[in-house]
Each structure stands twice: as structure tokens, then as C-alpha cells.
Amino acid sequence: MRVVIQVLLSGLIAYLFGGYWPYWVIMVGIAGLALWLKGPAFHSFIGGALGVGLVWLLVPLLTWSASGSDLPDQVAEIMGMQNGLVLAGITAVMGFLIGGTSALTGNLLGKLVQRNKFY
């Protein structure tokens, strides 16, 4: 259940602040979210990765389909890619990896400063 909450909150952070702040500020926020939620490191990675990756995939695709523009295809052609879908896929993979490593960093930072109580 914690993973689902982290996916939703990470995606919400990436969506709401993505147009206003640089990506690295958003990733610091996602690391803080993972630090706050705690849990296993793998779950933090998956939660952050899916949240950011889905936003970085769906927002460009929905914008592209709503506008009907040829710009993504033209940019992809300039970059030597087949079409705009490849460009959107690469963007989503980058968001997946960046969001996942940010959440993993926040989780591991929390475990680093956590006090272990031995009885």
C-alpha cells in the first residue's frame, strides 16, 4: 500500500511542479518524500520511478495528441530518431531512472541517519 501512495505522491509532485521548477529540485522533493515514507529500499525505488516515469510519459503524449502538432516528429528527426514516440519513450525511461534513484537516495539517507536501538 505504501508503494501505491508513493507512486501517486511522486507523480503528483512531478506533475504539479514540473513546469515551474528544474527537475533536480523536484527530485530533492521526491527524495524527501521517500525519506518521510520509509520502508524497503526497493519499494522506494519502484514508487519514485513509476511516479515520475508515468508523468514524463503521459504528459508529453497527451499534450501531443491534444495539439496535433508535428513538432515532436520534427525534433525526433533532427535527433536522428524514427518518430516522436521514440523521443517520448526515451524521456519516460529517463524519468523512471531519475525518479527511482532520487527516491532510493532519500530512503537510504533515512536509513543512514536512523538510530538503531539494541536491547
Side-chain angles (χ1 to χ4, degrees), residues 36-117:
W36 178 62
L37 287 176
K38 299 184 170 106
F42 181 72
H43 292 173
S44 290
F45 178 83
I46 292 298
L50 286 177
V52 177
L54 285 173
V55 168
W56 283 21
L57 175 68
L58 293 178
V59 169
L61 287 180
L62 292 174
T63 304
W64 184 19
S65 67
S67 67
S69 174
D70 291 335
L71 185 62
D73 288 326
Q74 293 171 352
V75 171
E77 186 178 325
I78 290 171
M79 296 178 76
M81 297 176 201
Q82 298 167 350
N83 59 21
L85 290 176
V86 175
L87 189 61
I90 290 172
T91 304
V93 169
M94 287 174 55
F96 182 88
L97 293 174
I98 294 170
T101 54
S102 298
L104 181 63
T105 300
N107 182 278
L108 293 178
L109 179 66
K111 289 182 179 184
L112 181 67
V113 298
Q114 176 182 359
R115 291 187 181 211
N116 294 329
K117 295 180 180 179

Side-chain angles (χ1 to χ4, degrees), residues 18-49:
Y20 303 109
W21 292 343
Y23 79 95
W24 59 270
V25 174
I26 297 166
M27 296 309 140
V28 170
I30 289 173
L33 176 68
L35 182 106
W36 178 62
L37 287 176
K38 299 184 170 106
F42 181 72
H43 292 173
S44 290
F45 178 83
I46 292 298

